Amino acid sequence: MDGQGKEGGGAGSESDVVARAFVDYYYQMFDTNRAALAALYGNTSMLSFEGHLVAGAPEIGLKLAQLPFEQCRHSICTVDCQPMPSFPGGILVFVSGNLQLGGEEHQLRFSQMFQLVPSEQGSFFVQNDIFRLNYG
């Protein structure tokens, strides 16, 4: 993890461990079973995908399932995280990397931000998710 900083956000912290496990799981599922991603969101969750806002787990799952490509492979370059003192137990996660679409020669650069918040079941869910391709 590249998370540098104060208490709770550095390499080896609890936030760091949760963020890394989440990122590994999220992109593995995105690349192999996108339909399963809806379970990571809640009824109040929001996704901004290339500027298109979608709210609620069912709608987010539908948006991700209907993306105009079948095969995708993510390669993660950096993961940064910070605990959220204003939201106890919450973690802000920022990811940068490359993605390779099936049948395409060139990789695309992307950035994605997740706000993870504790669930009643003792785990985390994605409250906010912002995704952007990086051009140029």
Side-chain angles (χ1 to χ4, degrees), residues 1 4 6-7 12 20 22 25 29 44-45 49 55-56 60-61 65 69 74 78 87 89 102 106 117 123-124 129 134:
M1 237 10 135
Q4 301 173 358
K6 304 191 179 187
E7 186 178 320
R20 173 55 70 184
F22 168 78
Y25 181 79
M29 286 296 98
T44 61
S45 297
F49 192 91
I60 292 170
F69 51 86
H74 288 83
T78 64
F87 197 105
H106 300 288
V117 297
S123 185
F124 288 87
D129 178 352
N134 301 328

Side-chain angles (χ1 to χ4, degrees), residues 55-69:
E59 292 81 7
I60 292 170
L62 187 61
K63 171 67 177 174
L64 294 174
Q66 292 179 342
L67 291 173
F69 51 86

Side-chain angles (χ1 to χ4, degrees), residues 34-62:
R34 239 182 291 161
L37 291 175
L40 299 178
Y41 297 86
N43 291 332
T44 61
S45 297
M46 290 187 281
L47 165 67
S48 177
F49 192 91
E50 286 293 295
H52 182 256
L53 183 63
V54 182
E59 292 81 7
I60 292 170
L62 187 61

Side-chain angles (χ1 to χ4, degrees), residues 4-134:
Q4 301 173 358
K6 304 191 179 187
E7 186 178 320
S13 71
E14 183 178 344
S15 295
D16 186 75
V17 171
V18 170
R20 173 55 70 184
F22 168 78
V23 166
D24 290 346
Y25 181 79
Y26 181 90
Y27 292 107
Q28 178 187 12
M29 286 296 98
F30 195 106
D31 295 351
T32 61
N33 183 14
R34 239 182 291 161
L37 291 175
L40 299 178
Y41 297 86
N43 291 332
T44 61
S45 297
M46 290 187 281
L47 165 67
S48 177
F49 192 91
E50 286 293 295
H52 182 256
L53 183 63
V54 182
E59 292 81 7
I60 292 170
L62 187 61
K63 171 67 177 174
L64 294 174
Q66 292 179 342
L67 291 173
F69 51 86
E70 301 241 348
Q71 296 178 332
C72 179
R73 191 181 85 247
H74 288 83
S75 169
I76 305 307
C77 296
T78 64
V79 177
D80 295 291
C81 71
Q82 296 177 354
M84 300 173 52
S86 61
F87 197 105
I91 304 170
L92 193 62
V93 182
F94 182 78
V95 181
S96 67
N98 299 300
L99 61 96
Q100 181 76 47
L101 299 178
E104 294 293 325
E105 183 178 341
H106 300 288
Q107 292 185 347
L108 301 169
R109 290 188 178 116
F110 76 93
S111 297
Q112 192 160 12
M113 186 280 307
F114 300 96
Q115 180 187 24
L116 305 179
V117 297
S119 70
E120 293 178 2
Q121 295 78 25
S123 185
F124 288 87
F125 74 96
V126 179
Q127 178 63 55
N128 297 91
D129 178 352
I130 300 172
F131 175 90
R132 279 285 182 180
L133 291 173
N134 301 328

